[in-house]
């Protein structure tokens, strides 16, 4: 398995396509993992546990909310139960077509970095990359 | 037997002791004995006691002839002088021959008979339980049977040696008379004291008879029966009989014994004589039916039959009897079966309850009047909606169950849970109620509340039916009857306790020994006086200890008198100690009982608590005294007029009323009459005197000393002499000025009131507490449309006019005001005498007397029907508004869902389009990638279009509320759909199986039904299992008036445990691989519900899904 520092989980192939190109445009050479199935995405996250690679570079995860077999919230509930060491490596951004207010969920899932409205844009990526840079400067997760 | 004369033995004996042995050894026929007066008595006795008869010849000195003659012939056969012994052989021979000839002949004739008799006698003798002694009359014991040995505790030989004086008690005064009697008659039956070995004395019944032997010698047979045990028992019996007789005779309650076969009266006590007035002799000639009034005798037969068949106790209850003077009395009768004079009898104890019953009747009448009001007072109302199973309770029901309306909703389950286990069965068939099989019920049962309290409930219920006669609800009234039940229970208990004389709760029964210490106290007495002693023990205590100190001397006197005069009754009133230093006044009958010798044994006292009676008597005295004071203080002017002299004597009242001195004569009186009336009154009085009237009454004005005129009423009695000439007139003048004024005022007031009421359209009413009388003003009559000719209504009638739904509230308010005072105000409906329903505004308040007791309630009623109707309309409008609001809220929810669809399902293709456009615009990608973007762009535009189409159809569906209904054939629909998607069916090898045999069609909206079938079938195809060709089975079923349509497939299935609640939501999908839109099942559900059905789903992943549609037929 190759190293991936960007992961997108959404059942909508169009969105995944857009994400891939927008990410690569901002971060050329980025490894982008695309998962149409949330279950497959979760299994990838869980498998990091057994991975021999200990390098602790952060992974940015774009997660859709409205998926038929498993919603984004259900994904987050499962995510909370995996090895905390693995959890630490993820910077999660919720990506949804809704224009709803997610302040309640922000309280329930405090580790979610931000709630983004589709489509993923250049501005979004500027913020994501900026956050990573700040983190690096302060040498701790922000 | 020694026949040979030559055979003889010579024995020398110094003392009689050896004699017995010698006799036994040789068994001689003749004994020759050297006789000296000093020594030979003992020898003779030994011979006499020997079992065999002997001839005794004494050899004596001639000087002793007289002495020996005295012993003949009983103890000695003959004698011979010492100096003439030559005669001896001849003499002996004669003796033997005499005996021989007689004996031989006898023997020959009856040898066998003798033997037989001997045997028989021997058997009786040996086996008799009675002791049998055979003695020489007045002398030694010759024979004794085993029973006698046991009785005297001696062996046979001991008995033979015993003197009679050793076994009879010489101190027994009966002994000598018995012996004399036997001497005279040869036989005696007697009871004598006998002595066992060791000195113990016992009572024996003795039959003793003297007979002569063949030789003419006297012998006695004595049969002894040990009756010491028997006598003890007899003594006990006599004592208990005595006690019983005393109880019967001295019982203050009238008692009698009658024969159950003939109904003859066999015995009566003093009480009967006192109550009925017959003498004892008269009673004993009467039969039970004669105690009954003639008209009651027919029923008597039945009751007496019962008295005959019942065992033990029998209580015929309260029965009418007549006394000798034909007075009707009521007696409460308790009877008990017993044998008396060998006849089958009952002893009856009668309690005169005539006055009690009369009082009770009067009370009952009053109670009945109140009952109507009271029974309504605590009624609760409940209703069970059979459709919704909703249970409605009125306020009173909440109160009974001790629940608050605000935080408790009653359910049938809860109600059933509270029913006492003993009554569960009664309610067991709840289904019968819910299915309307029970027509109505009227039951009494118990409930247990959560706090453990139990209550008695009376419930009545019936069905309320709709126009078609179908039961819609089951409702009724409930009443808490715990108090009544408890009272009944208490009453029953009391009655049980009252039964029986000894256990009487009204009578005391005690016995004391001659020192006045208690030997028996019945329960009532124990209950009342046990507390006096700290150990609660009365037995053995001095009877004076329960008596008030000031009565102790008196009690002592009576007690002494009582003992000095046994069997005589002494009555005494005693104040006994009572708790808290109070006293208990009691009335006692004391009698000293004696034993069979007439010696005092104990004192028996029957007493009764008369505290209340004494108090009542005192109260009566008080009230008499009060009456006198009142009559003295009466304000009437009482006069005594001497017609001949014209002089009048006046009571104090005259001065008080009119201010004149008391010496005024008739002329003075005439002067003070009002001038307008003087002539008329004078004439009227003269007329009464002249025409021999007995009384004279008049109403007139009389001048007071202050010049005012009083209105007075006069009533006089004219007394005449023998010649019928009026002599005196005695009478009273009463000042009625105030009364008249009040009457006038009242008349004016009433007139005013009437006018006022008419103007205000107010009716006035009164309710009098004392007699439950109701008064209505004429306007109240008008409001109720009751004709005044019908008179004032009774309380029940007024309550009956209150609308049934308002009765509970009405009586509650009414009752509360009556009990707690204050005022009440309510609005309620009535049904007028003409059947019209009217709304009334009702006000009432309680009026009290000077002592604070409620006298009456009064108030007003006003017809507010018009206002009420307006109010109700407003209420109706409000309700409608509420319904509209609910609908609006529902609509708003739909809108929310719509907004969600817009935000998500519209937004996601839009977001995609926008993202792709951005990439195309700003990126310098290869054509291949650009083409891919364009393709995605196109697909998302298409997606957007589809969403809009779906939304449109959903909105359309929601808009169409009703469409035309028609007969829809299921098979037809399935065929149409199969035709329209023929290509798909062929491609996927879909199998559609149908079975519409049970129900082939239904009346509904065609387009909806079509859409439902289409969506469900295509859903099954869409979510097929990839490895199995899709199979769909559609069947119709009829179950309990419902039509079921069942769609079954063999597809992917849905994990309902995870997503069960979302199956029918809009835009819900459960599979990622299939291009579903999440609209189909939402549509199906909406459509099914629109045509009045329900849909449910059951499914298992990888097995298939089943949808069940349910419609009312």
């Amino acid at each position: 398995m190759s190293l991936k520092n960007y992961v997108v989980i959404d059942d909508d192939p169009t969105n995944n396509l857009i994400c891939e190109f927008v990410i690569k445009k901002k971060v050329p050479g980025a490894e982008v993992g695309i998962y149409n199935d949330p279950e497959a995405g979760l299994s990838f996250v869980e498998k990091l546990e057994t991975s021999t690679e200990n390098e602790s570079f952060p992974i940015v995860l774009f997660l859709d909310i409205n998926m038929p077999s498993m919603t984004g919230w259900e994904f987050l509930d499962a995510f909370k139960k995996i090895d905390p060491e693995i959890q630490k490596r993820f910077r999660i951004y919720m990506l949804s077509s809704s224009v709803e207010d997610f302040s309640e969920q922000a309280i329930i899932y405090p580790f979610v970095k931000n709630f983004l409205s589709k489509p993923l844009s250049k501005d979004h990526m500027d913020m994501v990359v900026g956050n990573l840079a700040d983190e690096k400067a302060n040498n701790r997760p922000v | 037997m020694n026949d040979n004369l030559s055979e003889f033995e010579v024995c020398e004996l110094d003392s009689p002791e050896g004699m017995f042995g010698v006799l036994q050894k040789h068994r001689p026929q003749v004994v020759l004995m050297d006789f000296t007066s000093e020594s030979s008595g003992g020898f003779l006795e030994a011979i006499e006691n020997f079992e065999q008869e002997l001839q005794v010849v004494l050899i004596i000195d001639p000087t002793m002839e007289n002495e020996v003659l005295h012993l003949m012939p009983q103890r000695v056969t003959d004698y011979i002088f010492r100096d003439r012994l030559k005669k001896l052989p001849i003499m002996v021979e004669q003796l033997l021959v005499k005996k021989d000839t007689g004996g031989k002949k006898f023997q020959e004739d009856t040898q066998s008979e003798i033997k037989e008799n001997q045997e028989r006698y021997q058997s009786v003798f040996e086996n008799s339980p009675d002791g049998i002694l055979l003695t020489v009359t007045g002398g030694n014991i010759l024979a004794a049977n085993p029973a006698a040995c046991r009785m005297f505790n001696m062996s046979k030989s001991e008995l033979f040696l015993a003197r009679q004086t050793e076994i009879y008690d010489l101190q027994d005064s009966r002994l000598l008379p018995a012996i004399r009697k036997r001497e005279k008659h040869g036989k005696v039956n007697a009871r004598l004291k006998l002595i066992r070995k060791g000195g113990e004395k016992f009572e024996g019944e003795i039959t003793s008879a003297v007979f002569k032997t063949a030789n003419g010698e006297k012998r006695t047979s004595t049969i002894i029966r040990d009756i010491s045990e028997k006598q003890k028992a007899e003594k006990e019996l006599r004592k208990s009989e005595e006690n019983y007789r005393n109880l019967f005779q001295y019982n203050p309650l009238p008692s009698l014994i009658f024969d159950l076969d003939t109904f003859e009266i066999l015995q009566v006590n003093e009480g009967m004589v006192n109550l009925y007035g017959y003498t004892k002799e008269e009673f004993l000639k009467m039969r039970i039916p004669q105690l009954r009034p003639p008209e009651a005798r027919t029923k008597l037969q039945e009751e007496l039959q019962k008295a005959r068949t019942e065992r033990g106790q029998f209580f015929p209850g309260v029965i009418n009897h007549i006394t000798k003077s034909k007075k009707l009395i009521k007696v409460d009768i308790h009877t008990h079966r017993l044998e008396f004079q060998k006849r089958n009898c009952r002893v009856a104890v009668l309690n005169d309850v005539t006055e009690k019953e009369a009082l009770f009747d009067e009370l009952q009448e009053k109670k009945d009047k109140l009952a109507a009001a009271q029974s309504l007072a605590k009624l609760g109302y409940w209703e069970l909606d059979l459709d919704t199973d909703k249970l409605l309770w009125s306020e009173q029901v909440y109160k009974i169950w001790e629940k608050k309306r605000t935080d408790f909703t009653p359910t049938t389950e809860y109600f059933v849970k509270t029913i006492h286990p003993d009554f569960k069965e009664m309610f067991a068939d709840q289904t019968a109620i819910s299915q309307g099989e029970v027509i109505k019920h009227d039951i009494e049962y118990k409930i247990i509340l959560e706090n453990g309290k139990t209550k008695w409930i009376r419930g009545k219920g019936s069905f309320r039916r709709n126009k078609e006669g179908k039961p819609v609800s089951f409702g009724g009234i409930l009443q808490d009857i715990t108090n009544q039940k408890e009272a009944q229970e208490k009453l029953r208990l009391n009655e049980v306790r009252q039964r029986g004389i000894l256990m009487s709760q009204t009578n005391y029964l005690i016995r004391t020994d001659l020192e006045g210490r208690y030997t028996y106290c019945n329960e009532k007495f124990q209950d009342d006086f046990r507390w006096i002693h700290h150990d609660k023990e009365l037995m053995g205590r001095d009877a004076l200890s329960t008596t008030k100190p000031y009565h102790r001397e008196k009690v002592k006197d009576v007690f002494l008198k009582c003992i000095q005069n046994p069997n005589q009754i002494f009555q005494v009133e005693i104040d006994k100690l009572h708790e808290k230093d109070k006293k208990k006044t009691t009335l006692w009958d004391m009698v000293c009982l004696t034993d069979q010798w007439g010696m005092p044994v104990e004192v028996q006292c029957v007493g009764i608590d008369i505290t209340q009676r004494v108090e009542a008597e005192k109260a009566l005295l008080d009230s008499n005294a009060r009456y006198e004071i009142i009559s003295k203080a009466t304000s009437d002017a009482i006069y005594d007029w001497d017609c001949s002299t014209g002089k009048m004597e006046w009571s104090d009242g005259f001065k008080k009323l009119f201010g004149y001195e008391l010496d005024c004569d008739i002329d003075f009186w005439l002067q003070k009459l009002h001038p307008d009336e003087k002539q008329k009154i004078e004439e009227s009085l003269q007329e009464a005197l002249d025409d021999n009237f007995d009384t004279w009454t008049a109403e007139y004005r009389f001048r007071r000393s202050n010049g005012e005129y009083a209105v007075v009423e006069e009533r006089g009695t004219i007394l005449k002499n023998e010649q019928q000439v009026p002599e005196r007139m005695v009478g009273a003048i009463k000042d009625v000025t105030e009364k008249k004024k009040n009457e006038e005022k009242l008349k004016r007031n009433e007139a005013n009131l009437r006018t006022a009421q008419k103007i205000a359209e107010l009716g006035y009413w009164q309710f009098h507490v004392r007699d439950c009388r109701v008064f209505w003003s004429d306007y109240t009559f008008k409001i109720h449309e009751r004709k005044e000719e019908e008179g004032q209504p009774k309380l029940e009638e007024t309550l009956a006019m209150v609308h049934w739904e308002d009765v509970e509230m009405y009586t509650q308010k009414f009752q509360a005001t009556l009990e707690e005072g204050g005022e009440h105000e309510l609005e309620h409906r009535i049904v007028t005498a003409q059947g019209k329903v009217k709304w009334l505004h009702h006000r009432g308040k309680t009026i009290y007397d000077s002592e604070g007791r409620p006298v009456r309630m009064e108030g007003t009623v006003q017809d507010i029907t018009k206002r009420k109707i307006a109010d109700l309309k407003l209420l109706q409008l409000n309700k409608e508004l509420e319904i509209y609001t609910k609908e609006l809220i529902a609509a708003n929810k739909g809108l929310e869902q719509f907004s969600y669809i817009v935000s998500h399902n519209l937004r996601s293709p839009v977001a995609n389009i926008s993202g792709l456009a951005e990439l195309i615009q700003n990126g310098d990608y290869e054509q291949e990638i650009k083409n891919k973007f364009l393709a995605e762009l196109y697909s998302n535009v298409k997606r957007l279009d589809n969403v809009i189409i779906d939304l449109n159809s959903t909105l359309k569906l929601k808009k169409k509320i009703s469409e035309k209904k028609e007969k829809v054939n299921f098979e037809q629909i399935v065929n149409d759909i199969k035709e329209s998607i023929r290509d798909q069916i062929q491609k996927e090898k879909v199998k559609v199986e149908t079975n519409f045999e049970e129900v082939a069609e239904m009346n509904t909206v065609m387009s909806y039904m079509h859409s439902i079938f289409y969506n469900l079938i295509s859903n099954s195809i869409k979510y097929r299992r990839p490895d199995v060709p899709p199979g769909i089975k559609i069947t119709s079923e009829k179950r309990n008036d419902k039509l079921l349509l069942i769609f079954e497939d063999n597809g992917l299935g849905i994990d309902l445990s995870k997503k069960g609640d979302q199956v029918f939501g809009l835009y819900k999908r459960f599979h990622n691989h299939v291009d579903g839109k999440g609209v189909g099942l939402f549509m199906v559900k909406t459509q099914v519900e629109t045509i009045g059905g329900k849909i449910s789903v059951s499914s298992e992943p990888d097995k298939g899904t089943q949808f069940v549609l349910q419609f009312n037929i």
Side-chain angles (χ1 to χ4, degrees), chain B residues 137 175-189 208-210 218 220:
Chain B
T137 307
L175 183 62
L176 208 62
I179 293 173
R180 293 232 174 89
K181 203 172 169 193
R182 190 178 65 183
E183 266 173 18
K184 205 172 165 191
H185 303 289
K187 201 181 166 184
V188 69
N189 286 318
S208 184
V210 177
K218 280 191 181 173
T220 305

Side-chain angles (χ1 to χ4, degrees), chain B residues 1045-1058:
Chain B
L1045 284 173
I1046 302 160
F1047 292 76
E1048 274 177 284
D1049 68 36
N1050 57 354
L1052 284 168
I1054 308 162
D1055 188 354
L1056 292 170
S1057 64
K1058 276 190 179 168

Side-chain angles (χ1 to χ4, degrees), chain A residues 65-66 96-100 102 116-118, chain B residues 900 903-904 907:
Chain A
I65 293 168
N66 201 284
S96 166
S97 56
S98 291
V99 283
E100 281 174 65
F102 290 111
L116 311 178
S117 193
K118 282 181 188 174
Chain B
Y900 175 80
S903 78
H904 186 268
R907 174 91 175 96

Side-chain angles (χ1 to χ4, degrees), chain B residues 104 110 172 358 425 461 484 513 647 686 765 851 860 996 1031 1068 1081 1102:
Chain B
K104 251 181 194 162
T110 59
D172 188 343
E425 217 180 84
Q484 281 143 271
D513 60 17
K647 272 201 172 160
Q686 198 55 53
W765 58 268
E851 284 165 48
T860 56
F996 299 122
K1068 290 288 172 194
L1081 287 179
D1102 294 328

Side-chain angles (χ1 to χ4, degrees), chain B residues 248-299:
Chain B
F248 182 83
Q249 217 51 47
Y250 303 134
N251 185 359
L253 292 176
S255 311
L256 64 87
I257 297 174
F258 66 94
D259 186 313
L260 274 177
D261 298 314
T262 62
F263 303 121
E264 283 171 294
I265 295 170
L266 301 180
Q267 196 163 353
V268 294
N269 71 352
E270 210 54 47
M272 286 294 291
V273 174
N274 293 340
L275 180 59
Y276 288 84
Y278 294 105
T279 66
K280 269 191 189 173
E281 290 67 33
E282 282 171 320
F283 264 124
L284 298 186
K285 284 177 199 150
M286 287 169 64
R287 294 172 66 246
I288 292 290
Q290 286 165 271
L291 295 176
R292 295 291 190 92
E295 64 274 14
R297 282 180 198 164
T298 45
K299 216 178 128 202

Side-chain angles (χ1 to χ4, degrees), chain B residues 485-742:
Chain B
K485 276 281 171 184
E486 273 170 7
Q488 275 174 17
E489 186 62 25
K490 264 187 206 154
L491 192 68
R492 202 184 58 77
L493 254 159
N494 283 342
E495 265 172 10
V496 169
R497 285 198 195 125
Q498 240 170 10
R499 304 271 145 102
I501 316 162
L502 283 179
M503 304 300 281
S504 165
Q505 281 298 298
T506 53
N507 288 27
Y508 299 125
L509 181 72
I510 60 153
R511 281 197 284 273
T512 72
D513 60 17
L514 298 179
E515 271 77 49
R517 286 188 294 259
Y518 292 118
T519 55
Y520 170 79
C521 305
N522 73 343
E523 236 175 79
K524 166 74 173 163
F525 190 85
Q526 297 255 15
D527 287 350
D528 282 359
F529 302 109
R530 190 162 37 201
W531 63 272
I532 292 169
H533 297 288
H534 58 92
D535 58 356
K536 309 268 184 277
E537 184 55 66
L538 286 168
M539 292 304 145
R541 287 271 157 70
D542 192 329
L544 290 177
S545 65
T546 62
T547 305
K548 281 267 183 192
Y550 56 84
H551 267 170
R552 287 186 184 162
E553 276 309 309
K554 178 166 99 177
V555 174
K556 264 190 214 162
D557 285 352
V558 178
F559 189 78
L560 274 179
K561 249 190 241 162
C562 189
I563 294 174
Q564 283 158 6
N565 303 281
N567 297 328
Q568 210 173 312
I569 303 175
F570 291 87
Q571 200 168 65
V572 59
E573 198 178 304
I574 308 172
D575 285 351
K576 294 240 160 212
L577 296 175
H578 191 32
E579 273 154 304
K580 290 178 193 151
D581 282 340
K582 280 194 245 159
K583 65 177 180 192
K584 217 179 229 317
T585 308
T586 52
L587 184 66
W588 292 88
D589 281 342
M590 283 189 188
V591 62
C592 176
L593 307 178
T594 57
D595 62 12
Q596 71 256 49
W597 298 287
M599 292 309 287
V601 176
E602 57 180 2
V603 176
Q604 177 174 292
C605 312
V606 179
I608 180 167
D609 181 354
I610 56 166
T611 314
Q612 285 173 334
R613 202 177 86 193
V614 169
E615 275 168 10
E617 275 170 7
K618 260 192 201 143
L620 189 70
L621 272 177
D622 282 357
S623 83
N624 273 342
R626 244 183 261 150
Y627 173 74
E628 266 169 42
I629 293 163
I630 288 165
S631 66
K632 257 184 205 161
T634 181
S635 55
D636 290 2
I638 299 172
Y639 63 83
D640 186 344
W641 168 40
D642 187 333
C643 302
S644 53
T645 64
K647 272 201 172 160
M648 296 182 89
E649 274 178 45
W650 293 96
S651 72
D652 296 345
F654 185 61
K655 187 171 181 185
K656 274 187 204 146
L657 286 182
F658 309 113
Y660 301 119
E661 290 309 314
L662 300 182
D663 55 357
C664 305
D665 61 6
I666 188 73
D667 292 326
F668 181 85
W669 174 77
L670 281 169
Q671 265 177 36
K672 300 301 173 195
L673 294 178
H674 193 281
D676 293 354
E677 292 167 340
K678 190 178 177 226
Q679 195 184 354
K680 198 178 83 193
I681 295 297
E682 214 178 336
E683 276 171 16
S684 156
L685 178 60
Q686 198 55 53
E687 200 180 294
L689 293 171
D690 291 348
D691 291 358
N692 261 343
F693 286 2
D694 290 329
T695 57
W696 179 69
T697 58
E699 189 183 310
Y700 53 88
R701 276 172 285 176
F702 190 75
R703 197 186 142 120
R704 297 188 214 266
S705 61
N706 64 7
E708 281 173 14
Y709 277 94
V711 181
V712 300
E713 271 175 18
E714 182 176 339
R715 255 165 223 279
T717 305
I718 299 161
L719 307 169
K720 298 161 203 158
N721 64 10
E722 291 103 60
Q723 287 82 42
Q724 293 299 310
V725 176
E727 261 188 337
R728 285 162 62 216
M729 184 165 147
V730 182
I733 298 171
K734 191 177 180 183
D735 184 350
V736 293
T737 318
E738 283 304 309
K739 196 179 129 199
K740 281 281 156 190
K741 264 189 206 160
N742 284 341

